[in-house]
Amino acid sequence: ADSLSIDGLLFNQATSLQRTHVIYCTYLAKNASITNSYIDASKLYRTYAMDFLYSNYDSTLKMVNVTLSRGASSNYFYNLIRILRARAVSFHENTIIGAQSLYNGYSTISVQQVSSCFALNNTFSDVTGRGHVMDITTTTSLELSNNRFEGCTIVEAQEYAIVAINSPSINAQGNVFGGSSGYAIAQFGSSVNALNFARNAIEDPSVQFYVKTTQLYTVGNGIVIGPNYWNTTSFKQLNMGAFDSTYDSDLTTIVFESLFIDRAMTQIILSPPSQVILDEVEMTISGTVDDDLLIVVPAGLYYAPGSIILRHPNAILVLEAGVRIMFAPYASIRVDQGMLKVLGDIDNPVLLAPTQDLLAEYGDASIESSSLFDGIYFGANSNPTVLGGGNTYVSGSVIRHCVLEYGGYFSKTASVYLDRVSVALDQVTILGKWDRSVTGVYINRPLDPVLLRGVNVTNAGSYGVYVYFPTSTTEIVDTAIEGSRNYGLYLNQVKETNVVRSSVHNNDESNSNSIQVYGYSGSGDFNVTSCSVANNGYGYGMYLIYGSSRRYSITSSTFTQLNRPIYMLGSYQHAVKVSLNRFSENSCTISNCRSIEIDYFGSLIFQGNDLEFNTASQIVSIYARSGYHLPLQGTVISGNI
């Protein structure tokens, strides 16, 4: 194939098939993507579920949201997925389930002869085999982060690992290995020149080695292991390097960092002091507040050699206008209990950043340069924002007029992570990096109203903003999301929602939607007003699907230079209004492509829209399938140009 795109594939074979692939592709010239698919491979044997062979060295392969299941099959199998030769492979948010009766030496996932590989946010559950679970070799770089390996077992074969990775440059962080058994958890190959294996959790393993090396590395401090969480009773032994797997003399060239002593990865052996020290002479701040202190940090440039942690219900940390804090690697602001007030102003914002751009001004040559830090985390027991009429601030935690650069990636993979708590973000700028799988703002199950006002997220390595399962309203106002690697704005299981005067632009990764709205819960309206969506690669400008009885309105907004501006899928319960919008210069060359598609709705007003210079098989498609949903009622289509 020249290029290949597979989306929404369902494969569920009832009878056994020998030497039959589900997907078999050779000599791919350019790009391939497999997305949103489910494959039951339990009836296949002596074959591969997916096989990509001898692709062009400039080709790319992307696999996103694919589930492969083997069940309890006893059929012998080769690799579940084999990729042999490509320039870049992206393996994101996939799920591998069930026992793999692999032939000896065959890995569940095998990626070989590729330049770079990104394996992020995947789940491997109850995978059993006779080779590596994941075997990846690249010639340039490898990113293996935020994956879960639960109950993975290697049987009948010696010297195989859960993950075997080999690349000149490896970044492996935030992975969880739970209840795994075999020879080793992680095995590093002979081509490694730079390795960062940190913030990984290895829980209840039954292995000979936690980590295993294959040669004596001689690259100085380029090999860094830790800090990680390994739940063994011998933390001291591990920290001293006595449990060094197969390092032996390699310890002179491997930096073996400290270990966390708790699963939440907040307490490091030889950690910062237990009480915050705000030293206005040395200009440092770090440590843990475990009483009802009020700490007010005045304007100035400070260094945080470790995390700043609040762990008392009445603890308050105030960062005044003009405060600038540069953080050591892995350091963060963590609010487990208590209150954080970031009170910058329009002319003098608060700056939170790694040390790299501030060291010269700080003037201490002994401080290690860091290119990122661990962001801001609010826990479920921290103090939320209390809002008054018109979303005015009354009390509680708040982040106002703040610039946050390159935060997140280690413990929570977000620059700002709100865990079951609502904290207002008002005039906040977040700068990320595409090569790091970090969301700008992640809001998980908030209990109070969500307010994002004047938030600007640029170059997020994952989602720009992700809101999951709020129990109250969501207000996103005057917010700009630019250049996210995944969805720009993801609203998942939200209730009443207003997105006003906001923009999502340049979401360029293939098949990633600018605005994703999925699975509404509860009552309340959904409104998009005076917004702008533009330049998002091959995904949708707005993708809205499912939900309870409610009204949907998209008005006075602009959709331009998109592949497919709008897709809306609902049921006869939904009332939809799409009016006074401008759709211009949108182009979709896929066969039977619908530029604006509205499916399965009860009533519809499509009125006063301006459609200019759009290219597609169908510019507007309105569809009600007989026998599945009631026909459209009260449909008005008028005044469009």
Side-chain angles (χ1 to χ4, degrees):
D2 186 16
S3 295
L4 171 68
S5 178
I6 296 175
D7 182 74
L9 171 67
L10 171 62
F11 181 89
N12 191 2
Q13 178 65 28
T15 59
S16 295
L17 291 173
Q18 182 178 196
R19 300 188 183 279
T20 301
H21 302 72
V22 179
I23 299 173
Y24 178 63
C25 180
T26 59
Y27 303 107
L28 177 72
K30 294 181 180 177
N31 306 310
S33 68
I34 304 171
T35 55
N36 306 315
S37 297
Y38 177 87
I39 295 174
D40 181 353
S42 59
K43 298 298 182 181
L44 302 181
Y45 68 106
R46 299 182 70 184
T47 186
Y48 307 85
M50 297 186 190
D51 201 6
F52 290 83
L53 290 178
Y54 310 122
S55 299
N56 188 292
Y57 280 112
D58 290 328
S59 65
T60 62
L61 174 62
K62 181 178 180 180
M63 194 174 302
V64 179
N65 194 27
V66 176
T67 297
L68 292 99
S69 174
R70 279 282 288 165
S73 174
S74 60
N75 291 338
Y76 275 88
F77 213 69
Y78 299 118
N79 308 115
L80 193 65
I81 300 174
R82 178 174 65 171
I83 301 170
L84 183 61
R85 203 166 71 189
R87 177 175 62 85
V89 172
S90 296
F91 193 73
H92 297 178
E93 299 177 7
N94 303 292
T95 303
I96 310 298
I97 305 172
Q100 317 291 326
S101 297
L102 299 172
Y103 287 102
N104 284 345
Y106 281 86
S107 303
T108 303
I109 309 293
S110 177
V111 180
Q112 306 293 321
Q113 297 182 32
V114 302
S115 177
S116 62
C117 180
F118 298 88
L120 310 173
N121 302 306
N122 302 289
T123 299
F124 293 78
S125 179
D126 298 321
V127 174
T128 301
R130 296 170 176 82
H132 306 301
V133 173
M134 179 173 273
D135 184 11
I136 303 176
T137 298
T138 75
T139 59
T140 304
S141 62
L142 169 60
E143 171 92 6
L144 182 76
S145 294
N146 306 315
N147 303 286
R148 296 190 69 89
F149 299 85
E150 299 287 353
C152 295
T153 303
I154 300 169
V155 298
E156 300 180 11
Q158 296 298 314
E159 299 191 2
Y160 291 109
I162 304 301
V163 294
I165 47 181
N166 191 20
S167 174
S169 177
I170 297 175
N171 187 44
Q173 301 195 55
N175 301 290
V176 176
F177 302 88
S180 299
S181 62
Y183 183 66
I185 295 294
Q187 176 177 300
F188 310 122
S190 59
S191 300
V192 178
N193 293 321
L195 166 69
N196 189 23
F197 188 80
R199 293 274 173 159
N200 302 288
I202 301 176
E203 301 175 323
D204 302 318
S206 178
V207 293
Q208 184 172 351
F209 300 117
Y210 281 31
V211 287
K212 180 181 182 298
T213 59
T214 58
Q215 72 164 22
L216 204 164
Y217 300 109
T218 58
V219 292
N221 292 331
I223 310 298
V224 179
I225 297 176
N228 298 287
Y229 172 69
W230 296 353
N231 70 335
T232 172
T233 57
S234 183
F235 288 106
K236 182 178 179 181
Q237 183 185 29
L238 284 164
N239 188 51
M240 294 174 60
F243 185 89
D244 58 17
S245 70
T246 56
Y247 307 149
D248 300 327
S249 58
D250 294 7
L251 286 174
T252 58
T253 56
I254 294 177
V255 178
F256 193 89
E257 296 282 1
S258 301
L259 291 171
F260 293 100
I261 61 173
D262 65 320
R263 175 61 183 83
M265 299 194 194
T266 59
Q267 296 288 334
I268 303 177
I269 294 176
L270 305 177
S271 65
S274 60
Q275 188 67 45
V276 155
I277 299 173
L278 174 59
D279 190 328
E280 295 186 50
V281 176
E282 296 295 329
M283 300 298 282
T284 60
I285 179 172
S286 68
T288 301
V289 180
D290 53 11
D291 54 24
D292 58 353
L293 281 179
L294 167 63
I295 301 170
V296 179
V297 183
L301 175 59
Y302 299 84
Y303 173 53
S307 292
I308 304 165
I309 303 171
L310 304 184
R311 286 205 179 124
H312 190 279
N314 298 321
I316 302 175
L317 174 64
V318 179
L319 305 182
E320 294 187 328
V323 166
R324 293 180 296 158
I325 302 177
M326 58 178 193
F327 292 82
Y330 314 123
S332 67
I333 297 178
R334 183 181 180 97
V335 187
D336 292 329
Q337 298 182 80
M339 184 187 308
L340 170 65
K341 294 183 178 182
V342 178
L343 303 179
D345 59 42
I346 190 169
D347 297 318
N348 212 6
V350 170
L351 173 64
L352 307 175
T355 63
Q356 58 182 5
D357 297 326
L358 300 170
L359 279 176
E361 180 181 348
Y362 191 75
D364 187 343
S366 66
I367 295 176
E368 176 187 1
S369 176
S370 61
S371 60
L372 70 164
F373 72 107
D374 212 4
I376 302 177
Y377 170 81
F378 288 88
N381 295 316
S382 60
N383 293 359
T385 302
V386 178
L387 297 172
N391 286 327
T392 57
Y393 172 77
V394 175
S395 62
S397 297
V398 66
I399 303 177
R400 181 189 301 149
H401 288 291
C402 176
V403 177
L404 197 155
E405 297 180 352
Y406 315 130
Y409 197 71
F410 300 114
S411 60
K412 287 297 181 182
T413 67
S415 294
V416 178
Y417 193 103
L418 309 181
D419 191 4
R420 293 162 291 168
V421 66
S422 297
V423 175
L425 273 62
D426 194 354
Q427 313 304 318
V428 175
T429 297
I430 296 173
L431 181 61
K433 289 187 177 182
W434 255 48
D435 60 349
R436 294 175 176 142
S437 180
V438 174
T439 294
V441 180
Y442 195 106
I443 305 174
N444 178 47
R445 297 178 179 272
L447 301 178
D448 299 299
V450 172
L451 175 61
L452 302 181
R453 182 167 52 203
V455 175
N456 294 280
V457 181
T458 303
N459 293 337
S462 184
Y463 305 102
V465 174
Y466 194 121
V467 181
Y468 179 67
F469 227 123
T471 59
S472 187
T473 59
T474 298
E475 299 282 334
I476 300 174
V477 183
D478 296 325
T479 288
I481 302 171
E482 178 87 15
S484 301
R485 187 170 186 171
N486 209 317
Y487 302 130
L489 172 60
Y490 198 146
L491 304 173
N492 195 342
Q493 307 289 338
V494 293
K495 297 186 184 299
E496 181 171 334
T497 300
N498 292 293
V499 183
V500 183
R501 296 187 304 275
S502 297
S503 63
V504 182
H505 291 174
N506 298 312
N507 201 59
D508 288 333
E509 188 80 353
S510 297
N511 297 319
S512 291
N513 305 320
S514 293
I515 301 176
Q516 172 96 353
V517 185
Y518 188 85
Y520 267 79
S521 63
S523 61
D525 297 341
F526 173 79
N527 300 302
V528 172
T529 307
S530 302
C531 292
S532 173
V533 182
N535 302 318
N536 78 325
Y538 292 98
Y540 290 92
M542 175 178 289
Y543 185 95
L544 189 154
I545 188 167
Y546 302 120
S548 303
S549 177
R550 61 188 302 115
R551 292 172 295 186
Y552 300 87
S553 174
I554 302 173
T555 59
S556 304
S557 296
T558 301
F559 298 81
T560 185
Q561 296 182 3
L562 303 165
N563 185 47
R564 290 166 287 188
I566 292 179
Y567 176 74
M568 303 177 75
L569 172 64
S571 77
Y572 65 87
Q573 299 172 322
H574 299 143
V576 178
K577 182 178 181 181
V578 179
S579 66
L580 303 177
N581 302 290
R582 178 176 174 81
F583 301 90
S584 66
E585 300 179 60
N586 301 295
S587 179
C588 180
T589 58
I590 301 172
S591 177
N592 296 320
C593 179
R594 301 168 179 89
S595 186
I596 301 168
E597 184 172 1
I598 304 172
D599 290 354
Y600 310 156
F601 278 90
S603 65
L604 170 67
I605 298 174
F606 190 86
Q607 194 170 42
N609 299 289
D610 185 356
L611 297 91
E612 185 178 33
F613 302 122
N614 300 287
T615 303
S617 300
Q618 299 174 26
I619 302 301
V620 181
S621 171
I622 300 168
Y623 185 51
R625 181 181 297 180
S626 177
Y628 285 83
H629 299 273
L630 293 178
L632 291 167
Q633 305 291 329
T635 303
V636 177
I637 303 176
S638 68
N640 302 290
I641 302 174

